[in-house]
């Protein structure tokens, strides 16, 4: 019944694109998430029409009735991905099929109408093709893409919406952390948790972020950069940060990351780094790691490095961990060598400087 398919997106070009000189100026030093490209994608869903009215059109405001369901019950999901500039001047996406699949899974968890995965991928490609002049060429920079879906039925009834809007916007981004990646300090939240068993921890939904903001505000007050969340049941196992997965690197060269048990977001960066680490001959374990063990191993020197990872900030070294009961430094508190090698291996593939052995690039 879906009337939109991968081939039927209608392109309506803006009559007022940002001028070449203004765009070049904006691309020099983009602030994360504040500058948007000329166009966006919108596709609508209604029960009797299926997915319809698919367009790539000028970036603009949305108009919503105040009763629109998403504004009240947060039925919303999103994705985060990037388009990269290649050395030959071309452009590529990185594993868009993985984002499409995760978006589908998130839709199911939030009782939303899943968007066909090929439509997701084609919508992102179409937007990047049209706005490809917006992909910065500077090292570490990229075009960040934000596909998302909201429930749009205007009714205050507590039920899954019958209607949805899927949208993709894009913004050029520099390195997430200015001046490379300095090590971050984490705050161990003992009061708040991010996700409970049976909850929405493995869905990429705005509600998870809303629930993590008080903990993030506490971390900021305590002089830390980010929160590290522990599991909600035993308050003991390290899960992830508000928006990044975590890895630990040991003195025997092995690497560990918490397993995907349903309360952790299955990061595509996480998955890619596991593959790349194994390619390098490193042993990777997906096993639980307790906060007490982390403190003990950091003190004894058994733990050499730790880092957080995600599409936006790529790979970020963790230098210190602080909390009401914790205070420890990892290694010398700076970026470690294995972290650096993994980050370089990933960026080299994404920027077309290394062979794409796993077929992760989707050249446009
Ligand atoms: C998006 C996200 C990540 C990272 O996922 P990537 O696919 O690597 O960008 C990790 N944790 C949370 C909670 C996230 O929302």
């Amino acid at each position: 019944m879906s009337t939109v398919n991968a081939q039927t997106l209608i392109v309506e070009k803006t009559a007022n694109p940002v001028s070449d000189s203004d765009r070049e100026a904006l691309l020099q030093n983009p602030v994360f998430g504040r500058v948007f490209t000329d166009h966006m994608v919108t596709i609508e869903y209604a029960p009797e029409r299926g997915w319809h009215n698919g367009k790539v059109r000028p970036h603009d405001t949305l108009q919503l009735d105040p009763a629109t369901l998403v504004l009240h019950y947060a039925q919303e999901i999103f994705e985060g991905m990037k388009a990269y500039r290649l050395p030959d001047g071309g452009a590529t996406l990185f594993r868009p099929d993985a984002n499409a699949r995760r978006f589908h899974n998130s839709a199911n968890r939030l009782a939303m109408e899943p968007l066909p995965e090929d439509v997701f991928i084609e919508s992102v490609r179409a937007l990047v093709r049209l706005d490809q002049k917006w992909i910065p060429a500077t090292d570490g920079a990229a075009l960040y893409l934000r596909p998302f879906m909201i429930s749009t039925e205007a009714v205050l009834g507590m039920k899954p919406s019958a209607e949805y809007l899927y949208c993709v916007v894009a913004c050029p981004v520099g390195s997430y952390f200015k001046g490379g990646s300095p090590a971050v300090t984490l705050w161990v939240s003992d009061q708040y948790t991010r996700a409970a068993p049976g909850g929405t921890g493995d869905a990429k939904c705005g509600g998870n972020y809303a629930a993590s903001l008080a903990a993030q505000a506490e971390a900021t007050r305590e002089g830390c950069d980010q929160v590290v969340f522990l599991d909600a049941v035993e308050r003991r196992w390290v899960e992830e940060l508000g928006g990044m997965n975590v890895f630990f690197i040991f003195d025997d060269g092995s690497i560990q990351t918490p397993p995907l048990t349903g309360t952790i977001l299955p990061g595509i960066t996480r998955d890619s780094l596991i593959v790349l680490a194994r390619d390098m001959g490193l042993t990777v374990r997906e096993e639980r790691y307790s906060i007490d063990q982390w403190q003990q191993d950091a003190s004894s020197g058994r733990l050499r490095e730790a880092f957080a990872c995600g599409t936006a900030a790529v790979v970020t070294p963790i230098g210190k961990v602080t909390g009401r009961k914790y205070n420890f430094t990892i290694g010398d508190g700076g970026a470690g060598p294995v972290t650096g090698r993994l980050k370089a291996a990933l960026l080299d593939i994404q920027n077309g400087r290394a062979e794409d052995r796993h077929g992760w690039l989707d050249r446009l």
Side-chain angles (χ1 to χ4, degrees):
M1 176 181 59
S2 280
T3 55
V4 167
N5 62 45
Q7 281 74 46
T8 56
L9 286 175
I10 295 161
V11 177
E12 289 175 0
K13 283 196 191 174
T14 178
N16 301 300
V18 173
S19 73
D20 287 349
S21 58
D22 284 356
R23 190 185 57 247
E24 287 310 317
L26 288 168
L27 290 183
Q28 286 314 307
N29 201 4
V31 180
F32 192 95
R34 281 206 193 275
V35 170
F36 292 90
T37 64
D38 292 313
H39 298 92
M40 67 180 191
V41 171
T42 53
I43 312 179
E44 295 165 53
Y45 180 85
E48 63 288 356
R49 298 188 63 188
W51 289 102
H52 65 283
N53 206 16
K55 286 182 179 171
V56 189
R57 58 180 177 105
H59 182 106
D60 200 359
T61 54
L62 300 175
Q63 231 184 4
L64 298 172
D65 188 289
T68 302
L69 274 174
V70 66
L71 302 176
H72 303 273
Y73 309 126
Q75 206 188 4
E76 187 268 358
I77 56 171
F78 66 96
E79 272 302 321
M81 52 205 290
K82 282 175 175 172
Y84 304 85
R85 181 67 72 198
L86 294 170
D88 63 5
T92 188
L93 296 171
F94 182 75
R95 305 187 69 181
D97 52 323
N99 294 96
R101 197 174 323 123
R102 188 168 67 188
F103 198 63
H104 196 128
N105 294 340
S106 298
N108 284 335
R109 180 61 186 84
L110 276 280
M112 302 172 88
E113 181 67 27
L115 181 73
E117 292 174 35
D118 60 334
V119 176
F120 176 100
I121 294 170
E122 196 49 49
S123 71
V124 173
R125 284 182 186 150
L127 180 62
V128 175
R129 272 196 212 103
L130 195 58
D131 282 343
Q132 59 177 289
K133 285 185 182 161
W134 285 91
I135 308 174
T138 40
D139 204 36
L143 184 64
Y144 185 82
L145 300 154
R146 169 53 58 86
F148 65 99
M149 176 159 54
I150 58 174
S151 57
T152 48
E153 194 180 346
V155 53
L156 293 182
M158 189 45 221
K159 60 161 193 104
S161 179
E163 294 163 12
Y164 296 95
L165 174 71
Y166 166 75
C167 187
V168 190
V169 293
C171 43
V173 294
S175 285
Y176 194 78
F177 296 104
K178 291 259 173 310
S181 351
V184 294
T185 300
L186 300 186
W187 172 252
V188 183
S189 176
D190 52 18
Q191 185 182 359
Y192 302 106
T193 57
R194 195 192 81 91
T200 55
D202 62 354
K204 209 165 173 74
C205 63
N208 290 341
Y209 279 74
S212 75
L213 293 177
Q216 180 59 44
E218 183 180 60
T220 306
R221 276 199 304 278
E222 298 288 341
C224 298
D225 301 295
Q226 293 273 328
V227 186
V228 57
F229 288 100
L230 304 178
D231 79 286
V233 178
E234 297 182 62
R235 305 290 181 105
R236 184 174 164 213
W237 306 105
V238 179
E239 296 224 303
E240 62 171 319
L241 314 196
M244 285 190 267
N245 297 115
V246 280
F247 279 80
F248 310 97
I249 302 169
F250 297 91
D251 58 355
D252 63 359
S254 68
I255 293 184
Q256 189 164 330
T257 190
L260 301 177
T261 53
T263 53
I264 293 178
L265 200 283
I268 295 160
T269 316
R270 173 189 180 279
D271 185 73
S272 306
L273 290 170
I274 290 174
V275 173
L276 293 177
R278 288 187 175 140
D279 285 353
M280 290 175 185
L282 302 171
T283 301
V284 184
R285 290 181 300 274
E286 294 181 67
E287 275 172 27
R288 301 195 296 184
Y289 194 52
S290 74
I291 181 71
D292 291 318
Q293 192 71 46
W294 193 3
Q295 170 149 273
Q296 202 176 310
D297 290 345
S299 309
S300 73
R302 180 173 169 258
L303 181 81
R304 288 290 165 80
E305 305 173 37
F307 65 83
C309 66
T311 297
V314 196
V315 167
T316 303
I318 299 168
K320 278 192 196 151
V321 180
T322 311
R324 269 175 273 276
K325 292 186 300 196
Y326 303 95
N327 194 1
F328 54 93
T329 300
I330 295 150
D332 63 5
V338 180
T339 300
R341 272 171 62 206
L342 285 167
K343 179 178 182 178
L346 181 62
L347 284 174
D348 283 348
I349 295 174
Q350 291 172 334
N351 292 292
R353 290 186 297 259
E355 190 194 344
D356 175 25
R357 289 171 53 198
H358 301 285
W360 286 339
L361 299 193
D362 180 38
R363 291 188 64 114
L364 298 170

